[in-house]
Amino acid sequence: MTYRLGVDVGGTFTDFLLMNEENGETHTAKVPSTPEDSSIGVLNGVARICDESGIDPSQIKLVMHGTTVATNAVLTGKGATVGLVTTAGYEDTLQVARSFCPGGLGGWVSYVKKPLLAPLELTIGASERMDAEGEVVSDLDEEQLRTDLKRLHDRGTVEALTICFINAYMNSAHEERARDIAREIFTDIPISISSEVVPEMQEYERTETTVVNSYVKPEVARYVNNLKSALAERMGPDTQLSILRSDGGLASARASAESPVNLLMSGPAGGVSGAIYFCSRAGFDNILTFDMGGTSTDVALIQNSKARVRRETFVGDVRVR
C-alpha cells in the first residue's frame, strides 16, 4: 500500500494531506512553520501525520509540495546579492525599466525607486552583440570580460550572478560562453543565463526575470536540496519530491533548484487549482478564491471553471514573466 503526501508551507502554518492511493483514504495535519528553515516545519509535520495515522514513512512514494520560500525571499528583501552581466550599453536596463513612474510628469521629480535587485555597482557591460535574427554583429570580447569579472569577484559581495545579453533568446552562444568564463572565476555561486531561464523577447522583462531567478536561487536550492535529502532519509531514496510551479503544474526537485523563479507563485497557484477542482465537483463554475497566509494574501477570479493566466506577474514591486 502506497501513499502520496501534499505539503503546503505558508508564512505561519504548514499543512499536510496524506492520501492512500488505493482507496482514497486521507489524513491531515497542521504544524507551525519555521521561517528560519522551512524544511524543519515540513519534517515536523511528516513525523506528526505519520504518527497520528500509524503509517510508515517508507510507504510514502510521492511528495507534492507548494512553497512560499521564493515568494517570501522577494517580499522580505532577503535574497542573494546579485551581480549582472549585460551587453555594453544596456547596463541601466533595470533602472530604466519601462520608464514608469506615478504622478505624471511631476512624478519624475519625487519618485524614488526601490533598490535594484542587481545594483549598478555590481553590473558589467560586456563587449558583444547579436542582431534581432540571432546573427553575430560583434564577437564576445572574452579577455575584457574575464578582467571585468575578476574585478567584480574581488569585491567579495556577489552571491549569485546573472548573464543577460541583448537578443540572446535568438542565439544563446555568447551567454553560454560568458557563463563558462564566469565559472572559472565564480566557482562557488549559482550563475543564471536568460536564454535558459526565459528565452523571450523584451530586454527589461527578460533581464528582471533572470535577476530574480538569481536572487532567490541560493535560498531555494539550499531548501529544496536539504528537504530532498531529509525526506530520502525518512522515506527512502525512491520517494519523489515534486514542487508546485506558478502555473499549477509540478516540477522535479532538480528543475526547481535550477529555475526557482518558476516557483514564485507556487503556494497561491496550488490554492487556486484546488479551489477549481473542488468547486467544479460541487457544481460551482464561477468563484472567487481568497487565500490569506502569514506573509501575503492572494485573490483569484474564476470564470467557467478556468483561471485566467497572466504572462507577467508582480511579487511586491518586482515584475517577472
Side-chain angles (χ1 to χ4, degrees):
M1 190 172 296
T2 60
Y3 294 80
R4 65 176 61 184
L5 177 66
V7 183
D8 182 22
V9 175
T12 306
F13 292 106
T14 299
D15 298 286
F16 299 80
L17 174 65
L18 183 63
M19 185 180 74
N20 186 315
E21 293 188 328
E22 293 183 8
N23 58 27
E25 180 185 8
T26 61
H27 305 271
T28 62
K30 179 188 288 284
V31 300
S33 295
T34 51
E36 68 280 2
D37 184 350
S38 298
S39 63
I40 296 174
V42 173
L43 297 176
N44 290 341
V46 169
R48 172 175 292 185
I49 200 168
C50 288
D51 181 62
E52 293 179 350
S53 63
I55 294 170
D56 190 325
S58 64
Q59 294 179 279
I60 301 174
K61 298 304 179 184
L62 174 62
V63 178
M64 298 174 291
H65 182 20
T67 177
T68 56
V69 171
T71 315
N72 292 347
V74 174
L75 291 176
T76 60
K78 295 181 179 179
T81 301
V82 181
L84 173 62
V85 184
T86 70
T87 301
Y90 287 79
E91 294 89 344
D92 293 307
T93 296
L94 294 181
Q95 182 68 35
V96 175
R98 286 297 173 190
S99 300
F100 168 79
C101 73
L105 294 177
W108 289 106
V109 178
S110 59
Y111 181 41
V112 178
K113 292 186 177 181
K114 288 190 174 182
L116 302 177
L117 296 185
L120 288 174
E121 62 269 21
L122 299 180
T123 299
I124 294 173
S127 178
E128 68 83 39
R129 189 62 183 262
M130 294 282 182
D131 67 16
E133 301 299 324
E135 297 296 328
V136 177
V137 176
S138 299
D139 291 328
L140 176 64
D141 188 336
E142 297 186 8
E143 291 308 312
Q144 183 60 50
L145 175 60
R146 187 173 280 105
T147 298
D148 291 340
L149 285 172
K150 288 179 179 177
R151 186 180 301 113
L152 182 62
H153 178 271
D154 290 343
R155 296 179 68 100
T157 58
V158 175
E159 298 171 330
L161 188 68
T162 295
I163 300 173
C164 185
F165 292 156
I166 187 171
N167 296 324
Y169 65 95
M170 293 296 295
N171 185 341
S172 62
H174 284 179
E175 281 194 349
E176 291 172 356
R177 179 56 187 152
R179 177 176 59 185
D180 292 341
I181 295 172
R183 282 174 172 169
E184 299 172 6
I185 301 165
F186 292 91
T187 59
D188 56 352
I189 67 171
I191 301 174
S192 301
I193 62 175
S194 72
S195 52
E196 291 185 354
V197 174
V198 54
E200 301 177 10
M201 65 183 298
Q202 297 184 327
E203 298 307 311
Y204 164 63
E205 287 81 0
R206 182 157 52 88
T207 304
E208 181 81 318
T209 302
T210 312
V211 166
V212 172
N213 192 74
S214 295
Y215 185 72
V216 302
K217 192 170 185 177
E219 182 172 350
V220 172
R222 181 168 54 250
Y223 169 70
V224 170
N225 292 332
N226 288 346
L227 180 59
K228 181 176 175 61
S229 298
L231 291 176
E233 290 179 4
R234 288 161 175 75
M235 301 176 182
D238 295 332
T239 298
Q240 177 182 343
L241 173 62
S242 296
I243 311 293
L244 192 70
R245 291 166 45 101
S246 298
D247 59 5
L250 291 171
S252 67
R254 181 192 59 79
S256 300
E258 283 298 315
S259 298
V261 70
N262 294 323
L263 311 182
L264 277 179
M265 300 301 289
S266 170
V272 172
S273 298
I276 292 174
Y277 175 78
F278 285 107
C279 288
S280 295
R281 289 171 66 89
F284 297 99
D285 297 324
N286 300 309
I287 61 176
L288 182 70
T289 69
F290 183 89
D291 182 5
M292 177 180 288
T295 306
S296 60
T297 298
D298 303 280
V299 179
L301 177 65
I302 313 300
Q303 295 175 299
N304 297 320
S305 295
K306 292 184 178 180
R308 294 184 180 182
V309 178
R310 294 177 57 90
R311 189 65 196 90
E312 298 177 347
T313 189
F314 284 87
V315 179
D317 292 331
V318 177
R319 178 181 184 177
V320 296
R321 302 195 72 171

